[in-house]
Amino acid sequence: KISNNTLVLIICINTLEFLQVYVGCTKAKIPMMFVDSEITEIAFKKLLLKYRPGYLYIPKNMNKLSNNFNRIYNNGIYALYKTDFNKIKLNKNLSLLLSTSGSTGSAKYVKLSYKNISSNAIAISKYLKISSKDRSITTMKANYTFGLSIINSHLIKGASIILTQKTILDKKFWDLFKKNKPTTFSGVSFIFEILKKLNFEKMNFPSLKYITHAGGKLDNNLHEEFIKICKKKRIKFFSMYGQTEATSRMSYVPWNKALTKLGSIGIPIPGGKFFL
C-alpha cells in the first residue's frame, strides 16, 4: 500500500500493529518519522506542513489528525492514510526521523540511516549479551530513542518483547510482568524514582537478569541504592549514556564497576570511540 521512497509519519503506541509497520517499513526500505501520541493537533499540523509525509499511520481514535486525507488501509487499532502532499525526493539511506529530547532548546528531528540503527542495535546486544531467550517489557514509547533502542537490540537477536501501554504505576503492568517473566527491565531516572516509592526492594522477580538505566543522570544516592538492591537480588545494573543524534545508547558502565564508577558515563559501546 505504501510507495517506495515516500515518508510515512507514524504515531507511536506500544502495540503489535505499530511494531508490524515499523519492521515492515524497515525491511521494505520505506523511511519513517516517529511522533509521540501525546502531540497536540496544532503541533501535528505544523509537522505535516514542514515534513509533508506521503502517508500517515495513526491510531483510529486519533483520526481528527488525519486532516480528511484518504484512508487506504485498516490494521487493528491503526489506519493508514494517503496524503495529498507532492512527493519529496529522499536520501536512499534514510530510515528514520526521530525527535531529540529538546535539551538544547527545542526538539529537532534527527536523520538516522539503516546502518546507524543496525550497528547500534548489534553493539548494544553484544555488550548486554542479549540472546533469543531474553524478553524485555516496554516502559517507554518508541518515539523516544531509548525506548526504540530496547526494541531494536532485542529484535535483532530474535528476543521477545512484551508490548504494553500500561505504566509502572498500573497494577496491570505488574500482572503482565509476573505472567510473562521478562529477563530485562529498562527505564529513565523518573522510572527509578517511582520504583523506589513502589518499594522495589521488596519485589521479587526471579526472571530478571539485568536492569538498564539511561536518559539523564540518576541522583547519586538513589543510583547507589539501586545498585546495592540489585546486587542483593543478583541482578546486574547497567547505567548508560546516549543521544538521539548517535542513534541512542553510546556508552555504558560495566555492571561490576557500577559502584566504583558511580556517575560516570562509562566506556564506549563496541565499535564506538570518545575523545576530548
Side-chain angles (χ1 to χ4, degrees), residues 94-261:
L94 178 65
S95 172
L96 184 63
L97 292 176
L98 201 61
S99 176
T100 64
S101 61
S103 56
T104 57
S106 60
K108 297 174 178 64
Y109 275 85
V110 172
K111 293 181 282 187
L112 299 176
S113 71
Y114 294 98
K115 190 174 180 181
N116 288 150
I117 293 169
S118 63
S119 63
N120 187 260
I122 290 166
I124 290 165
S125 65
K126 186 177 179 180
Y127 78 74
L128 288 177
K129 296 181 171 60
I130 297 172
S131 76
S132 59
K133 293 178 181 178
D134 282 310
R135 58 178 64 189
S136 67
I137 186 165
T138 55
T139 54
M140 297 161 276
K141 295 175 187 173
N143 56 281
Y144 178 53
T145 185
F146 185 21
L148 181 61
S149 175
I150 293 159
I151 289 172
N152 289 338
S153 57
H154 281 75
L155 284 183
I156 208 159
K157 299 300 288 187
S160 303
I161 300 165
I162 304 159
L163 294 163
T164 178
Q165 296 173 58
K166 304 296 181 187
T167 72
I168 63 168
L169 287 168
D170 195 314
K171 182 181 178 295
K172 289 182 179 177
F173 176 92
W174 297 109
D175 290 342
L176 196 66
F177 199 104
K178 289 171 186 174
K179 181 183 176 182
N180 291 282
K181 299 178 175 58
T183 60
T184 73
F185 179 89
S186 302
V188 294
S189 298
F190 176 70
I191 286 176
F192 289 93
E193 289 169 14
I194 299 297
L195 282 177
K196 179 177 170 62
K197 291 177 181 177
L198 293 174
N199 213 348
F200 176 74
E201 188 171 8
K202 292 186 178 178
M203 293 180 176
N204 184 32
F205 302 117
S207 63
L208 267 186
K209 294 195 302 185
Y210 66 85
I211 289 175
T212 63
H213 159 260
K217 182 175 167 56
L218 191 59
D219 173 79
N220 278 351
N221 292 331
L222 187 61
H223 195 163
E224 187 175 343
E225 186 179 337
F226 265 93
I227 292 167
K228 288 177 178 177
I229 290 170
C230 287
K231 194 174 182 181
K232 283 181 187 176
K233 292 177 179 285
R234 296 186 178 180
I235 297 170
K236 295 175 181 177
F237 189 96
F238 290 92
S239 190
M240 304 183 215
Y241 171 76
Q243 295 175 2
T244 313
E245 293 86 343
T247 323
S248 189
R249 293 173 278 180
M250 301 155 61
S251 67
Y252 69 104
V253 178
W255 68 270
N256 56 355
K257 295 185 183 294
L259 275 176
T260 55
K261 294 294 181 181

Side-chain angles (χ1 to χ4, degrees), residues 2 11 16 22 31 39 56 93 113 125 175 180 191 207:
I2 302 172
I11 286 184
L16 183 61
Y22 170 54
I39 192 168
L56 309 178
N93 296 315
S113 71
S125 65
D175 290 342
N180 291 282
I191 286 176
S207 63

